Amino acid sequence: MPTAIADMQRIGSIVSSALHYNRLADIPAGKADTMAGISLDIVLRMDLLVHDRIILSLPGFQGPARNLSADFVTGLQETMAFATWSNMSQTLIFTVPRLISRFTAFTARLPSTDSIYLPVKGVKTNQTSLDVQLEAIAGPVPNTPIQSSPPVGSFTNTTMMVFDHGVKADEGTRLNLSFIPEMDILENE
């Protein structure tokens, strides 16, 4: 006769995840070394319960280590939540404020009013070092790369302008501008 399994370890799972950088009023898109809000759009295969934690690993991001106000948004319902930023571990931790049922699309959002700085070196499209981890009663999810993240361009400290040799004041000359981009530059950009 078969024996029933008495206990089984729960394991969580992510269906989809996308990171976004909220824009401040005077900055049209995410820009290296500027403040921006952070939003994570995510769908899970398990329920999230009150006090479960969503941990974003954001290498290169910076901000004051402190407790922050955050929001959880599902459809038209918005709930105030709490988040914590750590410069040492470069992690943003959202504490789940209410039950979120499995397969429900939701957004964990740190508004631009409680912003952190985007990396000086920028962010590559779908950068695999940006990841999410869940500490959830219904099952943990180990560090998992975020599936979609937009790029943030940067030239860091590589820009250089050189004039032709023997240049004198008030004379025309050629100049050479060089830089090493930390992002893709497409033709006609």
Side-chain angles (χ1 to χ4, degrees), residues 69-73 78-83 94 97 106-111:
S69 295
D71 300 307
F72 272 63
V73 181
E78 187 171 330
T79 306
M80 194 171 132
F82 296 99
F94 291 98
F106 71 95
T107 301
R109 180 176 64 198
L110 179 68

Side-chain angles (χ1 to χ4, degrees), residues 17-21 123-128 130 146-152:
S17 60
L19 188 68
H20 304 281
Y21 319 116
V123 178
K124 295 178 182 171
T125 301
N126 302 329
Q127 185 170 314
T128 57
L130 303 175
I146 294 170
Q147 295 168 349
S148 173
S149 61
V152 174

Side-chain angles (χ1 to χ4, degrees), residues 55-131:
I55 303 166
L56 294 178
S57 178
L58 303 171
F61 289 65
Q62 294 294 313
R66 62 185 177 148
N67 293 324
L68 306 163
S69 295
D71 300 307
F72 272 63
V73 181
T74 52
L76 298 175
Q77 184 178 7
E78 187 171 330
T79 306
M80 194 171 132
F82 296 99
T84 305
W85 171 255
S86 168
N87 269 330
M88 185 168 288
S89 62
Q90 297 179 328
T91 55
L92 179 61
I93 302 171
F94 291 98
T95 302
V96 177
R98 62 181 163 79
L99 170 70
I100 298 176
S101 299
R102 70 189 74 189
F103 296 107
T104 299
F106 71 95
T107 301
R109 180 176 64 198
L110 179 68
S112 56
T113 54
D114 270 334
S115 301
I116 59 177
Y117 283 83
L118 296 173
V120 171
K121 287 189 168 190
V123 178
K124 295 178 182 171
T125 301
N126 302 329
Q127 185 170 314
T128 57
S129 64
L130 303 175
D131 61 45

